Amino acid sequence: MLMRLRLVLWILTQGMGSCALRFRQSCGNTSMVTHFCLPQLLPLLKHTTSYLHEVFEFYEEILTCRYPYSCFKTVFIDEAYVEVAAYASMSIFSTNLLHSAMIIDETPLTRRCLAQSLAQQFFGCFISRMSWSDEWVLKGISGYIYGLWMKKTFGVNEYRHWIKEELDKIVAYELKTGGVLLHPIFGGGKEKDNPAPHPHFSIKHPHTLSWEYYTMFQCKAHLVMRLIENRISMEFMLQVFNKLLSLASTASSQKFQSHMWSQMLVSTSGFLKSISNVSGKDIQPLIKQWVDQSGVVKFYGSFAFNRKRNVLELEIKQDYTSPGTQKYVGPLKVTVQELDGSFNHTLQIEENSLKHDIPCHSKSRRNKKKKIPLMNGEEVDMDLSAMDADSPLLWIRIDPDMAVLRKVDSEQADFMWQYQLRYERDVVAQQEAISALERFPTPASRLALTDVLEQEQCFYRVRMAACFCLAKIANSMVSTWTGPPAMKSLFTRMFCCKTCPNIVKTNNFMSFQSYFLQKTMPVAMALLRDVHNLCPKEVLTFILDLIKYNDNRKNKFSDNYYRAEMIDALANSVTPAVSVNNEVRTLDNLNPDVRLILEEITRFLNMEKLLPSYRHTITVSCLRAIRVLQKNGHVPSDPSLFKSYAEYGHFVDIRIAALEAVVDYTKVDRSYEELQWLLTMVQNDPVPYVRHKILNMLTKNPPFTKSMESPLCNEALVDQLWKLMNSGTSHDWRLRCGAVDLYFTLFGLSRPSCLPLPELGLVLNLKEKKAVLNPTIIPEAIAGNQEAAVNPSSHTQLVGFQNPEDDHLAKEASCNMSAHQQGVKRKADTPLGSPLEPGQILEKNEDSSKVKLKIRFSSSQDEEEIDMDTVHDSQAFISHHLNMLERPSTPGLSKYRPANSRSALIPQHSAGCDGTPTTKPQWNMELPRKGTGIHVSVSHLEGKEQPPLEMSVHAAAAAPLSVFGKEPASSKHSEHHHHHHHEHKKKKKKHKHKHKHKHRRDGRERGRGPLAFPSPAGGRSARSPSLSD
């Protein structure tokens, strides 16, 4: 790739003396940092990478170890696979990360990417993992030191906000999917060795992981590393890292002593041993809790104040039965803010303890007014009129340091949340209070949020969150709200001219906190609604004036992100259209307000073609706004505009925004044509990132799910996705796993409901040595009466035996079709396939093409042979039930088959319907010819001591249905075999070992041929007759 691109080499030589000198002082050698980019991007490259030397210095200072390589290269390429990819002494970045000094929003994001890649140079490239199970150590350490850099660069508030974001993401993912396991153990093959098997993909190998799971895996790894730091202290933690780097550096210099090179690999056990040696502390319980098992903790906290005892009675409950949760036993920190100060208490969460008594240090509120000390030592004046006169408690926080991977639902009065928002200095506590105040739409909550918005000392992200919370509270109080719309007067006072309040001041983005607040408040204001659930006319006019009078001529920074946010505000103001007499909305009869919005969007879109903005942010916002107008019924819903913007050649952000609109159109309008267009792009688009994003968007916003009926769900779609998973994406594991995620979202683990029913099948009960009919083909009314004989909850396979006698049974069943034309309800929980269980051997005798099943029961070591060609007890049972049951036809099966295939599958012998007596069928199971497969399911109908056994023989290659048009000869062979059945049975044991060896050899030779993955759409028996025929 580097040879195909015309790369420009630029060596970092700025400040030749000082910069190079700093490198010598920090690195201990003259490390050369080299940067590569595409032509004409050199000015952007210089500005983007000018900060990199500070990242070098920080990492070398905290690790007390020099950068491990003699050089470092950064390569910025177009159409990158991921934004950041770290390799030994080189990192590859996306060109889209480059920016000029005029761009505000992209600067912190790009610097974070540079710091992240450099952290992985130490842990991930120079020090590698011993095995896949140790991946969490490297991801955790690199993420941990990257977090330390973030704390030093952006401040403690930004760091704690990032930790809370990461914690919320991993908690939501684990509660949704069932858990993320950092250190999987794959020994013994027992389920208990893998406590968190994922429902639809294997975690044994990195190339089988869902991309979202791998992202959450990295997130959890650095959070757990932070928990270890809380346990042993940062000083010991950094000493452990220094020890690992020192050993690896020594080993890397030993060119001829290869036994030393293992020091450059890290394992979980080696990492824990280093921690034990350095700190002397045992962290095994912590590792067992968060690394060796999956799940997070859910706490529910409530309290009552006992005035007589002056004690806080705190009750903490846990939910450890829901998916993705676990039980926590250990210390838990609780912070109580009282009138006399803030006090920390460490509670010991035991097995059965729920209530904890915490003594209070303050008496109830005194009449004399005095300042109240906070946790950071600051003393403030508070208006205590809202609090309970008998209680000294102001607010309570559970696990304020986020020392547990948890979700906390805490019950407090509204005035306590308001005090916490106003006076608590921790940004995490303020964000928790904002989230809680959404449930208390009162004038006091409105006032508290407004006060936070006006405080310039408050963290800007907290003020941005307060904007959206205030909009929700205003909508809940719409009938009692007084005064101008929420935030309008505040925005006017902060950012508009004093003489003319509807004209915004000339842009001045020197204060970044004011800049982020200025572009967030209009977006939140647009969410306001009046009593008719419409955006107030005053708000819409105000936003249009902000766009009209925007002036960026004297500003040294770009306003493209600000203008994009104004378009997002216009989109937020759109409400569903009200149609009169079912009139069709066209561009000629638009609502006047909507017409103004559409004109502004069109003007911005046209201006973008003349003067493109950085990363085309305005075009992206315009496309999203047009889709909002379509969804709300103001303009005709048409995907052609988005499809044109999604074509290859546009900037990648534009393509992603357009594809997102097409995905949403596919779901809302149930368009099979657009779904096929998207899947075609997944297969053929030249940009891997775009292909991955399409599958990701379809998974998050699916056109249908497994729990709903949809016309988009059909057999062709199943077959298409199945081929995409098994052969179409074999070159890209991320793409293949994305296809697996989409398939699971659409169809789940069971057989897709759109597939035709399986043909005639048997379920073998090994305990009673009988065969019964497949429960999935028994009518529901009769199946309920046979529940004692057939357990529907057992995981049985959908099977079809290819046998000439099946033709006879199909004829016999077709006589009674008229009584049951309504079809058969499928078993939704039937899995797609199951392998042979240990101890089961399926043998073939080549002389007669018969199959014999050899079962080793777990209760004894004896093998018992079940000859499937022998007439045993199941024959009478099956014949009896076939005469009793009225077998329905397979709904919709014939229309999916080609005409020549259906003619080839018509039964070849006549009997049954015309009353002609037929020979009683013998249940011979023949091995199919090449391209077919026999699936035998075995389940226990009674008893819990032995798990169900499932067996299947899978063919090496799948042949088309037309191949089986030559099969009528097999019925003649079956009749001939019937006459010589007993004679052949005597010879069977004689040739047993000979044929068994030959069959295995032939199977190995067939296995060497090209593999084809049979689609679940083709999972029905190809040679068995269609009941509808």
Side-chain angles (χ1 to χ4, degrees):
M1 179 179 292
L2 297 180
M3 295 183 66
R4 285 191 292 111
L5 300 174
R6 295 174 55 197
L7 301 178
V8 172
L9 171 64
W10 177 65
I11 301 177
L12 181 62
T13 57
Q14 70 165 36
M16 208 40 195
S18 61
C19 183
L21 181 62
R22 279 201 299 269
F23 264 77
R24 286 195 193 94
Q25 290 176 346
S26 59
C27 301
N29 64 348
T30 54
S31 295
M32 181 68 73
V33 181
T34 314
H35 307 278
F36 300 85
C37 72
L38 294 168
Q40 302 178 11
L41 295 178
L42 183 58
L44 301 182
L45 180 71
K46 288 182 178 181
H47 175 75
T48 302
T49 57
S50 61
Y51 177 77
L52 189 59
H53 66 278
E54 296 186 24
V55 186
F56 267 101
E57 292 173 357
F58 175 80
Y59 285 149
E60 290 176 342
E61 181 181 348
I62 64 168
L63 296 174
T64 60
C65 181
R66 67 177 178 84
Y67 174 69
Y69 300 108
S70 60
C71 62
F72 179 61
K73 298 169 288 294
T74 62
V75 185
F76 291 85
I77 65 170
D78 195 19
E79 299 179 2
Y81 187 76
V82 288
E83 279 195 332
V84 183
Y87 303 94
S89 76
M90 180 181 73
S91 291
I92 297 178
F93 301 92
S94 170
T95 302
N96 304 331
L97 296 176
L98 296 174
H99 60 86
S100 68
M102 298 173 58
I103 306 300
I104 297 176
D105 300 61
E106 186 65 33
T107 301
L109 302 180
T110 299
R111 290 187 178 183
R112 288 168 68 165
C113 290
L114 291 172
Q116 190 177 1
S117 70
L118 197 52
Q120 293 174 5
Q121 291 294 317
F122 291 90
F123 295 95
C125 297
F126 183 64
I127 297 182
S128 302
R129 54 179 164 84
M130 189 78 73
S131 67
W132 164 242
S133 299
D134 309 314
E135 174 80 359
W136 75 274
V137 178
L138 296 176
K139 295 300 182 185
I141 296 177
S142 61
Y144 172 78
I145 61 175
Y146 160 71
L148 296 181
W149 168 86
M150 183 181 292
K151 184 191 296 185
K152 179 252 182 187
T153 306
F154 299 113
V156 176
N157 287 343
E158 185 73 27
Y159 171 74
R160 287 186 61 81
H161 171 78
W162 174 67
I163 291 294
K164 184 181 186 304
E165 271 190 338
E166 297 283 281
L167 181 59
D168 290 344
K169 284 195 297 186
I170 188 63
V171 165
Y173 182 81
E174 294 213 41
L175 294 180
K176 174 186 173 184
T177 61
V180 174
L181 186 63
L182 291 183
H183 187 230
I185 304 171
F186 310 110
K190 298 179 181 178
E191 190 172 347
K192 66 180 181 181
D193 292 331
N194 189 1
H198 207 271
H200 68 281
F201 57 82
S202 170
I203 61 174
K204 293 184 177 182
H205 310 284
H207 57 270
T208 58
L209 291 182
S210 163
W211 183 258
E212 186 180 10
Y213 180 92
Y214 186 57
T215 305
M216 292 297 105
F217 177 92
Q218 300 176 65
C219 171
K220 186 173 183 178
H222 81 77
L223 289 175
V224 169
M225 206 61 66
R226 182 175 168 271
L227 301 186
I228 297 176
E229 180 230 294
N230 293 339
R231 178 75 175 84
I232 69 173
S233 79
M234 182 189 297
E235 180 183 0
F236 284 141
M237 197 75 166
L238 296 178
Q239 288 182 24
V240 171
F241 299 161
N242 175 262
K243 180 179 180 181
L244 295 176
L245 286 170
S246 300
L247 292 175
S249 299
T250 304
S252 65
S253 61
Q254 304 296 327
K255 297 183 179 180
F256 304 105
Q257 298 180 11
S258 58
H259 65 278
M260 294 284 294
W261 296 347
S262 62
Q263 299 292 340
M264 301 176 67
L265 302 176
V266 67
S267 64
T268 301
S269 58
F271 175 65
L272 298 181
K273 185 177 180 181
S274 298
I275 290 178
S276 177
N277 293 338
V278 170
S279 67
K281 296 182 179 179
D282 180 23
I283 63 167
Q284 198 58 43
L286 185 148
I287 297 298
K288 185 177 181 181
Q289 176 98 47
W290 303 115
V291 177
D292 292 339
Q293 63 182 5
S294 63
V296 294
V297 182
K298 288 181 69 174
F299 288 127
Y300 299 93
S302 60
F303 73 94
F305 178 68
N306 191 322
R307 183 183 177 187
K308 293 183 179 179
R309 299 169 55 201
N310 198 34
V311 166
L312 169 65
E313 297 175 349
L314 181 63
E315 183 177 12
I316 299 179
K317 297 180 181 179
Q318 291 189 57
D319 174 16
Y320 47 85
T321 57
S322 301
T325 60
Q326 59 169 298
K327 191 171 186 177
Y328 177 74
V329 176
L332 186 68
K333 183 179 177 181
V334 176
T335 300
V336 181
Q337 177 66 51
E338 304 179 27
L339 292 173
D340 291 346
S342 183
F343 303 95
N344 292 326
H345 306 271
T346 301
L347 308 180
Q348 193 65 28
I349 305 298
E350 302 292 347
E351 288 285 346
N352 300 316
S353 63
L354 295 177
K355 294 186 178 182
H356 307 270
D357 291 343
I358 300 176
C360 292
H361 300 75
S362 311
K363 298 295 182 183
S364 58
R365 181 164 59 90
R366 301 171 179 85
N367 293 327
K368 60 180 181 179
K369 188 176 182 180
K370 71 171 186 176
K371 291 188 176 182
I372 297 174
L374 301 178
M375 175 62 75
N376 62 350
E378 181 184 356
E379 293 187 354
V380 296
D381 292 321
M382 292 189 189
D383 180 11
L384 304 178
S385 59
M387 69 178 295
D388 186 1
D390 297 329
S391 172
L393 304 177
L394 291 174
W395 64 81
I396 300 171
R397 296 184 61 199
I398 299 175
D399 188 30
D401 296 332
M402 296 175 286
V404 180
L405 303 185
R406 83 294 186 274
K407 178 182 180 182
V408 177
D409 291 331
S410 181
E411 294 183 9
Q412 288 187 145
D414 57 346
F415 71 87
M416 303 180 77
W417 291 117
Q418 293 156 15
Y419 283 137
Q420 180 173 324
L421 174 61
R422 274 195 176 103
Y423 303 110
E424 177 62 76
R425 296 300 181 247
D426 181 18
V427 295
V428 175
Q430 290 176 316
Q431 289 174 321
E432 290 173 350
I434 288 174
S435 301
L437 285 178
E438 293 180 6
R439 307 192 301 266
F440 301 101
T442 61
S445 299
R446 169 188 175 181
L447 185 59
L449 290 167
T450 306
D451 290 345
V452 167
L453 284 176
E454 293 177 346
Q455 288 181 13
E456 293 185 0
Q457 297 80 13
C458 188
F459 186 48
Y460 78 99
R461 291 190 183 274
V462 173
R463 299 169 77 188
M464 291 166 63
C467 292
F468 294 100
C469 182
L470 188 56
K472 292 180 181 179
I473 286 181
N475 291 337
S476 301
M477 299 173 58
V478 63
S479 58
T480 59
W481 187 272
T482 56
M487 295 172 281
K488 183 176 182 295
S489 58
L490 179 60
F491 187 94
T492 301
R493 186 166 67 251
M494 294 175 66
F495 304 110
C496 293
C497 298
K498 295 181 179 179
T499 56
C500 191
N502 65 322
I503 297 180
V504 66
K505 295 178 184 178
T506 302
N507 291 340
N508 181 11
F509 297 156
M510 291 300 294
S511 172
F512 292 163
Q513 292 206 18
S514 297
Y515 161 72
F516 283 106
L517 192 63
Q518 182 178 351
K519 73 188 186 76
T520 301
M521 288 178 71
V523 179
M525 288 173 60
L527 296 172
L528 296 174
R529 298 292 181 263
D530 58 16
V531 290
H532 303 294
N533 199 29
L534 300 175
C535 182
K537 178 72 174 178
E538 185 180 358
V539 172
L540 180 58
T541 304
F542 182 70
I543 296 173
L544 291 172
D545 284 342
L546 292 179
I547 297 174
K548 181 179 180 181
Y549 297 111
N550 178 56
D551 185 3
N552 203 58
R553 288 175 296 178
K554 297 181 180 180
N555 191 14
K556 63 177 292 187
F557 296 103
S558 171
D559 68 339
N560 65 299
Y561 282 96
Y562 173 74
R563 288 183 291 150
E565 294 284 354
M566 294 303 105
I567 300 172
D568 292 340
L570 290 178
N572 285 348
S573 68
V574 176
T575 53
V578 179
S579 60
V580 181
N581 298 327
N582 295 325
E583 64 175 344
V584 179
R585 286 283 179 181
T586 62
L587 299 179
D588 299 326
N589 59 355
L590 279 177
N591 181 289
D593 293 340
V594 176
R595 180 179 292 276
L596 292 174
I597 295 173
L598 188 58
E599 286 175 354
E600 285 295 334
I601 293 173
T602 307
R603 185 177 68 86
F604 272 115
L605 210 52
N606 291 333
M607 284 294 294
E608 272 283 272
K609 297 185 183 301
L610 299 176
L611 298 172
S613 59
Y614 175 74
R615 294 192 67 159
H616 298 275
T617 52
I618 294 176
T619 302
V620 169
S621 294
C622 288
L623 292 177
R624 290 174 179 163
I626 292 173
R627 179 58 194 155
V628 170
L629 290 173
Q630 289 185 356
K631 286 184 69 174
N632 285 276
H634 294 289
V635 297
S637 187
D638 184 11
S640 57
L641 172 69
F642 306 116
K643 290 168 72 173
S644 65
Y645 274 102
E647 293 297 333
Y648 180 69
H650 288 91
F651 184 67
V652 63
D653 289 2
I654 297 178
R655 300 188 66 199
I656 297 301
L659 288 166
E660 190 175 359
V662 176
V663 168
D664 188 64
Y665 175 86
T666 304
K667 177 180 181 179
V668 175
D669 288 35
R670 297 186 174 186
S671 172
Y672 188 74
E673 178 185 354
E674 310 311 328
L675 180 59
Q676 285 301 310
W677 182 83
L678 289 168
L679 294 178
T680 302
M681 185 169 282
V682 168
Q683 294 172 327
N684 302 326
D685 195 87
V687 183
Y689 178 74
V690 172
R691 302 168 70 185
H692 159 67
K693 289 297 290 184
I694 295 174
L695 289 175
N696 188 35
M697 289 185 290
L698 282 172
T699 303
K700 292 184 176 179
N701 189 22
F704 61 91
T705 60
K706 51 182 175 286
S707 59
M708 59 186 287
E709 294 291 335
S710 173
L712 303 182
C713 179
N714 56 45
E715 188 173 350
L717 179 62
V718 176
D719 191 63
Q720 187 176 8
L721 285 178
W722 188 262
K723 290 178 180 177
L724 190 66
M725 287 190 298
N726 289 289
S727 58
T729 54
S730 57
H731 60 285
D732 187 343
W733 71 268
R734 181 176 69 173
L735 205 59
R736 186 183 63 80
C737 294
V740 172
D741 289 344
L742 177 59
Y743 188 95
F744 174 73
T745 303
L746 298 182
F747 306 114
L749 292 176
S750 58
R751 183 184 181 89
S753 60
C754 59
L755 296 186
L757 282 174
E759 301 294 331
L760 180 64
L762 293 178
V763 179
L764 303 181
N765 182 355
L766 296 182
K767 188 172 184 180
E768 298 182 2
K769 302 177 184 177
K770 290 185 178 182
V772 296
L773 286 178
N774 191 332
T776 60
I777 60 175
I778 300 177
E780 188 174 2
I782 305 178
N785 300 331
Q786 295 185 347
E787 211 166 276
V790 180
N791 183 5
S793 64
S794 61
H795 294 282
T796 57
Q797 279 294 327
L798 307 178
V799 297
F801 290 114
Q802 292 82 1
N803 202 327
E805 278 78 10
D806 293 356
D807 299 349
H808 161 77
L809 292 174
K811 277 286 186 181
E812 181 178 340
S814 62
C815 298
N816 301 322
M817 264 189 221
S818 58
H820 289 279
Q821 291 297 329
Q822 69 275 14
V824 181
K825 185 177 181 182
R826 293 179 182 84
K827 296 285 182 179
D829 56 349
T830 308
L832 288 175
S834 62
L836 279 168
E837 290 286 338
Q840 301 179 5
I841 304 170
L842 192 59
E843 296 184 359
K844 174 190 171 185
N845 190 322
E846 292 190 353
D847 291 342
S848 59
S849 298
K850 299 172 188 175
V851 175
K852 181 163 50 181
L853 221 53
K854 183 182 292 185
I855 312 295
R856 179 182 290 117
F857 291 90
S858 59
S859 56
S860 65
Q861 296 300 317
D862 300 345
E863 293 184 354
E864 178 170 348
E865 295 181 1
I866 297 179
D867 188 359
M868 299 303 298
D869 296 322
T870 308
V871 181
H872 50 276
D873 295 344
S874 64
Q875 176 184 338
F877 177 86
I878 296 170
S879 300
H880 172 68
H881 279 79
L882 281 176
N883 292 328
M884 287 176 53
L885 301 180
E886 296 180 345
R887 299 267 309 282
S889 63
T890 304
L893 179 61
S894 58
K895 68 179 180 180
Y896 292 114
R897 285 180 172 160
N900 58 348
S901 299
R902 287 201 301 270
S903 62
L905 296 176
I906 294 177
Q908 299 298 321
H909 56 276
S910 58
C913 287
D914 54 356
T916 307
T918 59
T919 308
K920 194 173 184 180
Q922 295 189 11
W923 288 88
N924 303 331
M925 185 173 70
E926 297 187 4
L927 193 70
R929 301 194 180 191
K930 184 175 182 181
T932 63
I934 296 178
H935 299 272
V936 184
S937 290
V938 185
S939 65
H940 289 278
L941 304 182
E942 299 180 47
K944 301 180 180 178
E945 67 277 14
Q946 189 167 341
L949 300 173
E950 298 179 353
M951 295 161 291
S952 63
V953 178
H954 298 286
L961 289 177
S962 58
V963 173
F964 302 105
K966 304 175 182 179
E967 288 303 309
S970 62
S971 60
K972 298 179 181 180
H973 167 74
S974 179
E975 294 173 3
H976 173 74
H977 160 72
H978 175 64
H979 291 295
H980 299 280
H981 172 68
H982 296 289
E983 180 181 351
H984 171 71
K985 186 177 179 184
K986 295 178 182 178
K987 298 179 181 179
K988 189 180 297 182
K989 292 186 178 180
K990 180 178 179 181
H991 300 284
K992 175 180 176 182
H993 299 287
K994 174 182 176 182
H995 295 311
K996 177 175 167 184
H997 174 73
K998 185 177 180 180
H999 171 63
R1000 287 179 178 174
R1001 183 185 62 199
D1002 293 343
R1004 286 196 299 269
E1005 293 174 356
R1006 286 195 301 269
R1008 296 192 186 103
L1011 290 178
F1013 296 87
S1015 166
R1020 59 181 178 273
S1021 171
R1023 290 176 54 192
S1024 58
S1026 167
L1027 297 184
S1028 59
D1029 294 334

